[in-house]
Amino acid sequence: MSRTAVTLPSSLTAEYRGEVALIRLSRPEKRNALNETLVVGLEQFFTTLPDETRVVIVHGEGEHFSAGLDLSELTIRTNMADSIAHSEEWHRIFHHIEFGKCPVVAVLHGAVIGGGLELAAACHIRIAERSAYYGLPEGTRGIFVGGGGSVRIPRLIGTHRMMDMMLTGRIYDADEGQTLGISHYLVDPGTGLAKADEIAKRIAANTPMTNFAVTHVLPRIVEAGPEAGYLTEAMIAGIASTDGEAQARLRAFLEKRAPKIVRG
Ligand code: 1HE
């Protein structure tokens, strides 16, 4: 897909750097609150990635990653059917992120709240700067998560912790988020994007088949029963290892042309 075909709202800024594409939430004056235009723009971006894109980085402009759903929209949308459809729209769009063309790396800083945390949870790798903090204030606002958070967040931190966050308004800081498994990497303020770039380049160096297997097949295996899981694993293992690029890489190692594993 040609990048010129995509017209994004001003609340999103896309940058295409060869195999890595960046999408920036660009609504800092509203703390990157996720309104309808922005969320639909995310769908536009994720469904029209150029052929050469192998990894996407999501980050936020200003002091915060995202303050979550734009609450002003909830006072306009008072029809129940419309509200259900709105949540289902987020589900569809975040599904494009989780099960889209390529792995997605999120850089988190400042507020990662409500729908912002739901968006982060739909990404595959999360890099947190030490300023990041996580909350689900839906409970105090009288609402509920609607962006797939009740499916994804318990799988990251456990149902009991999500209950605590929603019932008591508990906020986790960046260190706690790292310990609990919200983030994979914890870095100093201002260095998240550089870390994301480094990680993205490593991911892009994998074969596309491996990246597909890890992001599309692994989560499905985890949700399947063991018998379906073992069979699916055997099938994707066979598909991956007989891929031409995998064969070339295996030969390169055996002929001592590929680097050994180095401790990190
Ligand atoms: C917003 C939003 C928003 C800021 N919707 N407008 N999310 C929340 O409950 C979090 C609400 N936000 C906050 O608690 C704070 O804004 C922050 C802690 C994130 C940042 O504080 P601060 O002092 O830097 O900014 P601010 O002055 O509070 O906000 C700046 C502007 O952004 C202000 O608008 P202004 O016109 O008065 O300048 C705020 O009203 C606006 N703003 N956050 C709308 N969220 C799919 S379901 C998901 C459900 C949820 O996500 S619930 C969680 C909602």
Side-chain angles (χ1 to χ4, degrees):
M1 169 63 68
S2 157
R3 71 193 61 165
T4 52
V6 196
T7 309
L8 294 177
S10 59
S11 52
L12 286 173
T13 311
E15 206 183 317
Y16 300 93
R17 299 184 188 161
E19 52 193 17
V20 180
L22 289 90
I23 185 80
R24 183 165 73 243
L25 312 178
S26 305
R27 234 191 143 205
E29 70 287 359
K30 294 289 182 186
R31 308 309 184 247
N32 295 326
L34 306 170
N35 62 6
E36 175 81 2
T37 311
L38 190 156
V39 174
V40 169
L42 283 176
E43 181 171 45
Q44 276 291 312
F45 172 80
F46 277 99
T47 54
T48 56
L49 288 166
D51 289 343
E52 75 245 36
T53 302
R54 304 281 303 276
V55 184
V56 170
I57 296 173
V58 181
H59 63 124
E61 188 174 332
E63 298 299 306
H64 303 282
F65 176 70
S66 173
L69 171 69
D70 188 319
L71 294 172
S72 67
E73 292 191 341
L74 288 189
T75 53
I76 301 165
R77 196 183 297 107
T78 54
N79 175 287
M80 192 191 296
D82 286 351
S83 299
I84 292 170
H86 176 250
S87 171
E88 291 190 318
E89 177 182 59
W90 278 48
H91 293 166
R92 186 190 74 234
I93 295 171
F94 286 12
H95 189 87
H96 287 309
I97 299 175
E98 185 176 9
F99 295 110
K101 180 181 188 304
C102 53
V104 181
V105 179
V107 179
L108 309 175
H109 73 297
V112 185
I113 288 182
L117 181 54
E118 294 183 276
L119 170 60
C123 301
H124 303 99
I125 302 284
R126 283 166 293 278
I127 297 168
E129 296 190 354
R130 288 184 200 282
S131 62
Y133 59 96
Y134 312 97
L136 292 171
E138 282 85 346
T140 53
R141 306 272 183 236
I143 57 176
F144 194 68
V145 289
S150 58
V151 173
R152 295 191 183 96
I153 296 170
R155 285 169 167 76
L156 287 182
I157 62 172
T159 309
H160 60 300
R161 287 200 187 88
M162 180 165 175
M163 280 185 180
D164 183 24
M165 290 175 84
M166 293 194 73
L167 289 174
T168 69
R170 181 173 186 161
I171 301 289
Y172 285 120
D173 67 23
D175 283 312
E176 291 170 320
Q178 176 73 11
T179 305
L180 295 180
I182 297 176
S183 59
H184 299 81
Y185 300 89
L186 185 59
V187 298
D188 287 335
T191 65
L193 265 180
K195 183 70 179 176
D197 204 44
E198 174 200 324
I199 299 277
K201 290 198 167 93
R202 271 194 237 165
I203 295 171
N206 297 332
T207 66
M209 183 56 74
T210 294
N211 284 344
F212 172 81
V214 172
T215 55
H216 285 246
V217 184
L218 173 61
R220 266 64 178 250
I221 290 176
V222 172
E223 297 303 327
E227 290 310 317
Y230 290 131
L231 176 62
T232 310
E233 179 188 273
M235 291 173 72
I236 193 65
I239 292 169
S241 65
T242 51
D243 179 74
E245 173 62 19
Q247 286 293 315
R249 289 179 183 214
L250 294 168
R251 274 195 305 276
F253 174 76
L254 295 172
E255 292 162 10
K256 311 218 179 294
R257 289 183 285 110
K260 293 185 190 178
I261 308 300
V262 217
R263 275 171 58 186

